């Protein structure tokens, strides 16, 4: 109903730009931390499964902790009524 009423760009893609701005740095940080943690674990001769789990867990925590405030703002903007003026979206 929302897409039919507002059109494709406003009804379906509201907040898509904010999502992209959030996801790109988040994944970049995730993979950077994962690779460095995995290499460190291998140098310490950890079991490969433990190294993978630890690196993935650490990378997830760091990337989520860094991007969570941005995600909260993005979610609030997406939840605003469509009739909200753009000037009020940033307050």
């Amino acid at each position: 109903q929302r897409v039919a009423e507002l059109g494709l760009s406003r009804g379906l893609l509201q907040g898509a730009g904010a999502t992209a701005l959030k996801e790109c740095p988040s994944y970049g940080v995730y993979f950077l931390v994962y690779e460095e943690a995995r290499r460190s674990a291998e140098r310490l001769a950890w079991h490969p499964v433990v190294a993978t789990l630890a690196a993935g867990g650490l990378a997830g925590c760091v990337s989520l902790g860094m991007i969570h405030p941005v995600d909260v703002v993005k979610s609030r903007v997406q939840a605003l009524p469509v009739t909200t003026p753009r000037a009020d979206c940033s307050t």
Side-chain angles (χ1 to χ4, degrees):
Q1 288 177 338
R2 181 180 170 124
V3 174
E5 180 182 328
L6 300 172
L8 184 64
S9 64
R10 285 202 70 196
L12 186 62
L13 300 176
Q14 181 178 0
T19 300
L21 287 174
K22 173 189 78 89
E23 292 297 329
C24 292
S26 176
Y27 281 114
V29 167
Y30 179 90
F31 287 116
L32 177 72
V33 172
Y34 175 83
E35 284 298 321
E36 290 302 316
R38 173 98 182 180
R39 288 180 188 148
S40 295
E42 287 176 355
R43 280 193 295 270
L44 295 172
W46 287 12
H47 189 277
V49 173
V50 174
T52 300
L53 289 173
L58 179 63
C61 289
V62 169
S63 67
L64 178 64
M66 177 194 85
I67 211 70
H68 185 69
V70 176
D71 188 44
V72 170
V73 172
K74 179 216 42 114
S75 296
R76 288 184 180 181
V77 168
Q78 284 180 320
L80 288 173
V82 178
T83 56
T84 304
R86 286 192 182 255
D88 293 343
C89 290
S90 63
T91 59

